[in-house]
Amino acid sequence: MAESPLLAVKDLEVFYGGIQAIHGISLEIKKGEMVAVIGANGAGKSTLLNTIAGDKSYQKGSITFEGEPLPGRAYQFAEKGICLVPEGRRIFVNLTVYDNLLVGAYTVRKKEKIKERLEEVYDLFPRLKEREKQMGGTLSGGEQQMLAVGRAMMAGPKLMMLDEPSMGLAPVIIDEMFDKFKKINSKYGTTMIIVEQNAQLALDTANRAYVMSVGKFIMEGDSQELIHDPKVQEAYLGFK
Amino acid sequence: MNTFLQQLITGISIGSIYALLAVGYALVFSVFNFSNFGFGATMMFGAFAAYYVILGLKLPLFVSILLGMAAAGIVSMMFELVIYRPMRKKNVMRIYLMIAGLGINIFAPNFMLQIVGGAVKGFPSDWARVTMTVGSVNITRSDVLALVMSIALLTLLWAFLYKTRVGLGIRASAFDTRTAALMGINVNVVASAVFIFSGAAAGVAGCFYGMKYSVYPAMGAVATKGFIASTVGGLGSLGGAVVAGLLLGFLETMIASYISTTYRDLFAYALLVIVLIFLPGGLMGRQVHDKI
């Protein structure tokens, strides 16, 4: 008996004006899974995430979350439990670290719940507590990424989507970040989709992966199987 | 010395009117990146509302100011609902929103001219005209009231922005409305709050300007001074708007009394141009921030 998926995308097509970015994509993600989407620059990975997060409208196909169609307005997605950690992080540079986190909990009405989550975030990223009163814009790249992830955690998401989380970060920090993602996934059961250009990293972290090229999935399967697939090795892992 | 003190008080009182208007411009600009040139009209409607509440309903001055403020807040929100929101939905360039605002600013005074005529009306409050003598300086009650209410309103605005949930939403939207939406912030709610608050501030400014001078359809022209102050203070900066508003009021009054009244407006525009040349971001403007 198959458990109904948390997220189901069917025959999705997305356009920017007259240009088609996604050419009929289907995917299903179960609760608690950690899934990677890998692919080259411009493959449409970010477009896919932005569409699921409500930041971009789609023209054809369907997306259901917990068996229901997505809400109509961008601001309603967070309340449903869909959170995007956007590419480039998009920290509120004009707000303090603390206020950034509070904005993340904008849809949470219970004060105790906000306090509880704040502690969870500070527990996972002690650096953020140290910088609590600093403006978001004064943080380093790594700290901003922590803040972006912490901000998403504040909403208590069912689905957390991370768009190029390794971009512009030092290798040491990247490893640390990806460990935290695994921790969030295992500790809170948060379902995750990670979009990455760094295929090795993504495949090492996720259980399952989709390979995307020019707006389509060209392969999908178990991460470890994909890592050993000669085609993936040649095209995305740099093996010859 | 006495003349100076006298002028200082006048300067602060007119400056607080400019500050209220400038804060309105700054609030809208900080979130939506355009200047709402409909503030002149909003201010004028607020003043007329208070005027007719006193004359028609015979209500006390303070109540009439509150009602004028409420009327201006509603008018301001109507501009947002009927004109700006449909335009924002179509994602038009910000410059078109400003042009629409300029349109409001021409339409509204002419509309009032048709309805109530162009006569200049004295503000119907004897209480406000009473002058108090402190030492050798004469202070009109309306000047004191203008200052007190401006401080009260600005404090209230600060508390709203920094202590409430919607206020946090406004501050987040001020950086980036799209990311704010991802966090679950409904930008339309933010827009309504911003327009009601800035409109109410313009309405109060209108009432005090009306008390200080008079009420007439073209009085909204003075909102330009608020715009100058918000630009000099730094577009989108609330603190800058307050400081520059008070500064502009003070400097204008000094020039009018020690040099000549004819130089007053000339000075305001010269100040605008000079600040724009040497400090394009304004006195307390945001640095060009990193949008990555």
Side-chain angles (χ1 to χ4, degrees):
Chain A
M1 200 182 82
E3 196 192 334
S4 66
L6 180 73
L7 176 77
V9 175
K10 235 182 145 217
D11 305 323
L12 185 72
E13 292 187 24
V14 180
F15 291 79
Y16 286 100
I19 298 162
Q20 189 162 9
I22 291 184
H23 299 260
I25 270 184
S26 299
L27 66 83
E28 281 194 357
I29 292 172
K30 289 195 204 70
K31 207 165 169 277
E33 267 195 305
M34 193 157 186
V35 176
V37 178
I38 59 172
N41 231 341
K45 307 185 299 294
S46 294
T47 305
L48 178 63
L49 289 201
N50 289 337
T51 308
I52 297 171
D55 198 30
K56 171 88 190 79
S57 57
Y58 59 96
Q59 284 67 38
K60 263 188 189 163
S62 71
I63 305 177
T64 54
F65 186 73
E66 296 186 304
E68 283 173 35
L70 291 179
R73 310 278 311 276
Y75 72 90
Q76 294 162 330
F77 282 63
E79 202 151 18
K80 289 270 176 202
I82 303 177
C83 271
L84 174 69
V85 179
E87 187 176 355
R89 310 180 261 275
R90 278 149 71 177
I91 289 301
F92 298 106
V93 298
N94 58 333
L95 303 185
T96 60
V97 167
Y98 178 76
D99 279 346
N100 264 281
L101 293 172
L102 280 193
V103 175
Y106 197 79
T107 53
V108 183
R109 298 293 184 139
K110 283 195 186 121
K111 280 235 162 78
E112 312 89 72
K113 199 94 205 151
I114 296 176
K115 239 180 161 174
E116 194 185 305
R117 296 230 173 100
L118 201 60
E119 267 165 38
E120 289 172 4
V121 171
Y122 285 157
D123 201 39
L124 196 66
F125 301 112
R127 189 72 72 83
L128 293 181
K129 186 162 174 64
E130 287 166 30
R131 314 253 146 163
E132 201 179 45
K133 293 199 171 68
Q134 260 176 252
M135 288 292 163
T138 65
L139 300 185
S140 71
E143 291 164 346
Q144 288 199 356
Q145 186 64 56
M146 291 176 199
L147 183 53
V149 174
R151 186 177 66 180
M153 281 173 70
M154 290 300 289
K158 293 170 186 155
L159 173 67
M160 190 191 283
M161 298 185 288
L162 302 145
D163 195 352
E164 303 281 5
S166 75
M167 198 165 74
L169 300 185
V172 188
I173 297 173
I174 294 177
D175 289 343
E176 194 191 320
M177 281 312 299
F178 277 71
D179 279 345
K180 305 280 188 192
F181 299 159
K182 283 186 200 164
K183 213 168 182 177
I184 296 169
N185 173 255
S186 62
K187 194 169 176 189
Y188 305 109
T190 312
T191 311
M192 286 186 161
I193 307 179
I194 303 178
V195 151
E196 259 295 338
Q197 280 194 55
N198 186 338
Q200 180 79 53
L201 185 67
L203 292 176
D204 279 344
T205 311
N207 324 109
R208 215 152 60 75
Y210 294 88
V211 182
M212 198 167 180
S213 175
V214 211
K216 275 184 191 156
F217 286 157
I218 49 169
M219 273 189 215
E220 58 176 281
D222 187 83
S223 298
Q224 287 312 308
E225 279 168 29
L226 285 172
I227 277 189
H228 295 106
D229 187 292
K231 268 194 290 183
V232 174
Q233 286 187 342
E234 198 189 325
Y236 302 104
L237 299 174
F239 293 176
K240 278 273 156 74
Chain B
M1 192 59 203
N2 280 340
T3 332
F4 177 79
L5 270 182
Q6 186 72 57
Q7 295 308 322
L8 180 68
I9 286 159
T10 313
I12 291 175
S13 122
I14 187 86
S16 60
I17 295 175
Y18 292 164
L20 283 174
L21 289 163
V23 160
Y25 279 106
L27 202 54
V28 172
F29 191 92
S30 71
V31 178
F32 296 106
N33 275 305
F34 81 99
S35 293
N36 171 20
F37 288 119
F39 270 139
T42 310
M43 171 189 172
M44 180 265 297
F45 282 124
F48 268 104
Y51 176 88
Y52 284 111
V53 164
I54 293 180
L55 275 192
L57 304 177
K58 308 262 181 272
L59 287 174
L61 174 70
F62 195 70
V63 178
S64 78
I65 292 175
L66 287 182
L67 288 174
M69 191 171 135
I74 291 167
V75 165
S76 176
M77 196 180 79
M78 290 310 289
F79 287 155
E80 144 68 8
L81 280 180
V82 179
I83 300 167
Y84 294 134
R85 184 170 300 182
M87 292 179 81
R88 280 195 292 117
K89 264 192 186 156
K90 290 191 177 121
N91 254 326
V92 299
M93 284 196 295
R94 292 296 185 252
I95 186 86
Y96 290 120
L97 295 174
M98 295 211 224
I99 293 169
L102 287 172
I104 296 171
N105 223 17
I106 293 168
F107 169 83
N110 284 298
F111 173 77
M112 281 310 268
L113 203 62
Q114 293 302 322
I115 293 189
V116 300
V120 170
K121 299 171 167 64
F123 202 84
S125 168
D126 294 327
W127 183 89
R129 263 190 289 278
V130 173
T131 312
M132 301 174 293
T133 310
V134 180
S136 53
V137 179
N138 298 318
I139 310 170
T140 337
R141 276 179 180 166
S142 64
D143 281 354
V144 180
L145 195 63
L147 186 64
V148 169
M149 275 204 74
S150 304
I151 293 171
L153 208 63
L154 292 172
T155 311
L156 202 66
L157 175 68
W158 179 87
F160 174 68
L161 284 176
Y162 285 88
K163 300 287 170 200
T164 70
R165 187 170 164 271
V166 177
L168 179 68
I170 292 175
R171 286 184 295 134
S173 306
F175 171 62
D176 178 359
T177 47
R178 267 180 68 198
T179 310
L182 281 179
M183 304 294 130
I185 296 167
N186 183 348
V187 176
N188 284 338
V189 170
V190 164
S192 299
V194 161
F195 275 86
I196 288 173
F197 240 107
S198 58
V204 172
C207 291
F208 288 119
Y209 189 80
M211 273 180 231
K212 210 168 171 50
Y213 303 100
S214 47
V215 180
Y216 52 99
M219 69 187 287
V222 77
T224 314
K225 295 288 176 60
F227 174 68
I228 291 175
S230 87
T231 312
V232 167
L235 283 173
S237 159
L238 300 185
V242 174
V243 170
L246 288 169
L247 194 69
L248 183 63
F250 169 74
L251 290 174
E252 263 193 16
T253 315
M254 288 303 150
I255 285 183
S257 76
Y258 288 106
I259 302 172
S260 158
T261 45
T262 49
Y263 284 113
R264 196 177 56 192
D265 290 355
L266 191 72
F267 166 79
Y269 286 96
L271 178 71
L272 174 68
V273 173
I274 290 168
V275 167
L276 283 179
I277 291 172
F278 294 102
L279 267 176
L283 299 177
M284 294 165 75
R286 295 186 281 193
Q287 301 298 316
V288 176
H289 54 226
D290 202 359
K291 281 210 173 180
I292 311 173

